[in-house]
Amino acid sequence: MVPKYLVLAYAITPIHVGAGKSSTGVVDSPLVRDSIGYPIVYGSSLKGSLKSFLIAKNESLAKCVFGGKPEEENILTSKYVLTDLIPVFYPVSSIDEGYIYITTRYLINHIEDLMSRLGIGSLYKESKEKSEVRIFLGKISTELSLQLSDEVRSLGNLIKDKNRVYVLDNSIGLSAVESALTRVTRTELDDNTKTSKNIWSEEYIPQGTILLSGIFEREISNSYCEELNRNNVNIDNEFLKLIDNVSVFIGGKESIGKGLTKIKLKRVS
């Protein structure tokens, strides 16, 4: 597969991509997590959001790059493949600074694997200067800090004002990420009595979080792509024009104002 784009995403509002079943833990509807326990947005969720957005703009292009409907013949194959969307830089409450951004060595290694396959340079500069930060968990020693590129910092106002991201050791990093998540209790009211008939809790990736994904191109086609080529449509240019710097809803909570995410594409080939 040929690398095409780095996806930079910014959570304008909290994001909930649930595990699809009730939990036996404290939260009834937890976030999807990877094998280590870090929140993750599956590539299928990102693909569904982008495809829905693109269909309203150009249905033929949407079905070319993301595939057709199951009932349609010979056009199921998608031209583009999306990797999982990884939350990397989290805002957390800081006793000293109001809020700071954190990440972990595990998350940095994770996205560097992705960026190496995409063939792009780093999005940050490392500073080996160790320091201490005070968040809800108490005083934590940082392994190093990152100075983010202007491209990343320009994604949203929360991160724009921050000069660095603190990298935490893996031994404490996951606990710090857990402390950054938002947990909300919701209720369903009986229409007649106006009393609660169902109470549950949900987990959210906080607003201001920066997430990364990659888009790769497969050397295959479908009937929609072939039609666009016959009409001399540059598929890559049209896709970039319609998707770059847009906002989509991820996670299916748009009716309550959740999941609004800014998407920025960086072409890499």
Side-chain angles (χ1 to χ4, degrees), residues 2-14:
V2 180
K4 297 303 294 184
Y5 304 99
L6 173 70
V7 181
L8 296 165
Y10 175 83
I12 299 175
T13 63

Side-chain angles (χ1 to χ4, degrees), residues 44-162:
S44 56
S45 295
L46 176 61
K47 175 183 175 180
S49 296
L50 294 181
K51 184 176 181 179
S52 295
F53 178 88
L54 194 56
I55 280 178
K57 303 293 183 180
N58 187 326
E59 184 174 357
S60 294
L61 180 64
K63 291 182 177 181
C64 164
V65 298
F66 293 133
K69 297 179 180 180
E71 61 269 21
E72 297 177 287
E73 296 181 1
N74 197 34
I75 54 171
L76 296 178
T77 303
S78 61
K79 182 179 179 67
Y80 291 164
V81 176
L82 282 73
T83 68
D84 294 334
L85 189 60
I86 309 299
V88 182
F89 305 129
Y90 290 85
V92 298
S93 177
S94 167
I95 297 173
D96 298 321
E97 303 180 47
Y99 73 97
I100 59 174
Y101 272 84
I102 64 165
T103 188
T104 72
R105 173 50 64 187
Y106 167 80
L107 290 174
I108 292 300
N109 290 341
H110 196 339
I111 64 166
E112 286 185 348
D113 278 343
L114 173 62
M115 290 190 295
S116 69
R117 297 310 306 160
L118 288 170
I120 65 172
S122 180
L123 300 171
Y124 44 76
K125 295 179 180 179
E126 290 191 2
S127 171
K128 299 296 184 180
E129 180 182 352
K130 295 186 177 182
S131 59
E132 290 185 333
V133 293
R134 292 202 295 168
I135 59 177
F136 285 139
L137 297 177
K139 187 178 291 187
I140 298 177
S141 296
T142 65
E143 183 176 319
L144 61 134
S145 61
L146 307 176
Q147 291 184 328
L148 298 177
S149 68
D150 291 341
E151 187 174 25
V152 177
R153 292 179 63 203
S154 66
L155 286 171
N157 288 324
L158 281 179
I159 200 165
K160 179 178 70 175
D161 296 332
K162 296 301 173 183

Side-chain angles (χ1 to χ4, degrees), residues 15-19 30-42 84-90 104 106-107 110-111 173-183 203-206 209-212:
I15 299 172
H16 173 82
V17 179
L31 293 164
V32 174
R33 284 173 163 76
D34 66 13
S35 60
I36 304 299
Y38 284 89
I40 190 172
V41 176
Y42 286 150
D84 294 334
L85 189 60
I86 309 299
V88 182
F89 305 129
Y90 290 85
T104 72
Y106 167 80
L107 290 174
H110 196 339
I111 64 166
L174 183 54
S175 296
V177 167
E178 286 287 333
S179 74
L181 303 180
T182 302
R183 294 170 179 91
E203 201 169 44
Y204 291 85
I205 297 168
T209 300
I210 302 296
L211 310 90
L212 299 181

Side-chain angles (χ1 to χ4, degrees), residues 168-189:
L168 306 182
D169 184 81
N170 290 333
S171 62
I172 192 66
L174 183 54
S175 296
V177 167
E178 286 287 333
S179 74
L181 303 180
T182 302
R183 294 170 179 91
V184 176
T185 299
R186 297 185 60 195
T187 184
E188 179 183 6
L189 296 180

